[in-house]
């Protein structure tokens, strides 16, 4: 395999190509194109077509790698390397022509994420990182914010489709931060939210009931930008978790975890 920086440079145009495809397809998108996978969980032929495109391009770069994908168009059979991709993170936003929505690509070796690339289509922003190489937005190095107080933080919260299991947490946690922070935002794209933490737009973000293709690329980008990421239980191996919190620094992360750790039993 070529070195991670060189490989990242080849992944970026693939993510951008997929993003351009999404943008063009949105112009002729129709409500009848939507399929409901589960309650409030949607997919369309565009998600699947984009995923097939990504699998083809990424397979050419690294033929020996397996795949973990949202739409299940390829498989992982314990290969040493594994692509983790979401062809359209923010499908509900896309359906409603609402920003943001992203293409998310990560490359994992064992339990370690080597590369993360997230292309946010609506703002034409490409976030990327490779392990120990820093984090970038459109070729400029990015860093997380210096904010250490929850009261001064702009917070991102993900509200998952599984409202039945998540409602008790949401009913309690949102009022806890509302009026005790700089503001709360719900954008609808986990990949974008993680990149916004990395770029200093959010000070912290969290979501439960989340899958690896939603956060794998963004997790590396946050870490390489100087931020912290873990499960609500502070477990550092986020690939084994389904509840994720990302913060701009260690001090803020501890304060957020002190709050979120009390809700672990609600999301298990």
């Amino acid at each position: 395999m070529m070195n991670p920086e060189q490989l990242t440079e080849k992944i970026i145009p693939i993510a951008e190509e997929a993003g351009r495809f999404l943008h063009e397809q949105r112009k002729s998108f129709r409500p009848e194109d939507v399929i409901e996978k589960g309650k409030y969980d949607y997919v369309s032929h565009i998600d699947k077509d984009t995923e097939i495109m990504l699998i083809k391009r990424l397979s050419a770069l690294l033929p020996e790698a397996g795949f973990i994908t949202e739409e299940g168009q390829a498989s992982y059979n314990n290969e040493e390397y594994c692509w983790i991709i979401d062809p359209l993170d923010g499908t509900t936003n896309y359906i409603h022509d609402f920003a943001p929505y992203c293409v998310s690509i990560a490359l994992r070796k064992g339990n370690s994420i080597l590369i993360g690339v997230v292309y946010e289509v609506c703002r034409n922003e490409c976030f990327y990182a490779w392990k120990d190489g820093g984090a970038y937005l459109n070729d400029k190095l990015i860093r997380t914010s210096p904010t250490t107080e929850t009261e001064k933080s702009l917070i991102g919260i993900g509200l998952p489709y599984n409202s039945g299991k998540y409602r008790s947490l949401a009913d309690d946690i949102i009022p806890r931060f509302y009026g005790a922070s700089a503001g709360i935002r719900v954008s609808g794209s986990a990949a974008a939210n993680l990149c916004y933490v990395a770029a200093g737009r959010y000070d912290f973000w969290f979501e439960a009931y989340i899958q690896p293709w939603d956060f794998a690329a963004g997790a590396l980008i946050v870490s390489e930008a100087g931020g912290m990421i873990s499960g609500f239980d502070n477990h550092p191996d986020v690939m084994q978790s389904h509840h994720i919190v990302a913060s701009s620094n260690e001090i803020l992360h501890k304060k957020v975890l002190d709050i979120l750790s009390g809700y672990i039993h609600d999301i298990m």
Side-chain angles (χ1 to χ4, degrees):
M1 189 188 88
M2 67 186 75
N3 72 56
E5 181 177 359
Q6 291 175 328
L7 189 55
T8 303
E9 291 173 354
K10 293 185 179 296
I11 298 168
I12 290 168
I14 293 173
E16 292 174 338
E17 178 189 6
R20 287 191 298 270
F21 176 76
L22 291 172
H23 178 73
E24 287 302 313
Q25 291 297 308
R26 185 62 193 72
K27 296 175 183 178
S28 58
F29 189 80
R30 304 169 301 167
E32 52 265 38
D33 292 330
V34 178
I35 300 169
E36 191 169 352
K37 293 193 291 185
K39 191 173 183 180
Y40 310 125
D41 186 6
Y42 304 106
V43 70
S44 76
H45 68 89
I46 296 170
D47 300 65
K48 296 179 179 180
D49 290 347
T50 308
E51 184 167 290
I52 291 168
M53 176 195 303
L54 290 170
I55 291 167
K56 180 179 179 180
R57 301 286 190 273
L58 296 171
S59 293
L61 280 183
L62 201 62
E64 66 269 31
F67 284 87
I68 295 174
T69 72
E70 179 167 16
E71 305 309 333
Q73 305 292 313
S75 62
Y76 172 62
N77 296 299
N78 295 313
E79 290 89 348
E80 181 181 14
Y81 294 97
C82 177
W83 297 106
I84 305 174
I85 62 175
D86 192 340
L88 176 50
D89 185 69
T91 298
T92 301
N93 286 0
Y94 186 82
I95 290 168
H96 293 274
D97 199 15
F98 189 84
Y101 48 86
C102 303
V103 177
S104 180
I105 303 170
L107 179 65
R108 185 184 74 185
K109 181 181 181 183
N111 292 323
S112 180
I113 302 296
L114 300 181
I115 295 170
V117 176
V118 174
Y119 180 65
E120 201 283 276
V121 180
C122 302
R123 295 180 63 160
N124 189 28
E125 291 186 329
C126 192
F127 299 85
Y128 56 93
W130 60 90
K131 191 171 178 60
D132 299 324
Y136 299 83
L137 164 56
N138 293 348
D139 299 326
K140 293 185 178 180
L141 195 68
I142 55 174
R143 297 290 296 177
T144 55
S145 86
T147 302
T148 58
E149 300 295 328
T150 58
E151 294 82 2
K152 297 179 180 179
S153 296
L154 182 61
I155 305 166
I157 296 178
L159 297 177
Y161 302 122
N162 196 339
S163 59
K165 289 187 176 181
Y166 196 70
R167 186 174 301 281
S168 61
L169 173 59
D171 286 348
D172 194 29
I173 204 71
I174 293 175
R176 184 160 190 159
F177 288 116
Y178 180 59
S181 65
I184 301 170
R185 302 290 183 267
V186 181
S187 79
S189 168
N193 288 333
L194 285 162
C195 291
Y196 294 169
V197 172
R201 297 173 184 172
Y202 284 152
D203 298 296
F204 65 90
W205 166 85
F206 60 88
E207 183 171 348
Y209 302 107
I210 190 170
Q211 299 296 329
W213 48 76
D214 299 313
F215 65 79
L220 179 65
I221 294 168
V222 168
S223 296
E224 290 295 328
M228 300 289 294
I229 188 160
S230 73
F232 285 15
D233 56 359
N234 201 24
H235 196 292
D237 185 3
V238 294
M239 297 307 297
Q240 303 303 314
S241 183
H242 66 268
H243 40 80
I244 304 298
V245 55
S247 307
S248 56
N249 54 70
E250 187 173 2
I251 295 171
L252 184 60
H253 199 74
K254 183 180 185 306
K255 293 176 179 179
V256 177
L257 285 176
D258 286 344
I259 296 170
L260 294 179
S261 61
Y263 299 95
I264 292 294
H265 67 281
D266 293 330
I267 59 174
M268 300 305 285

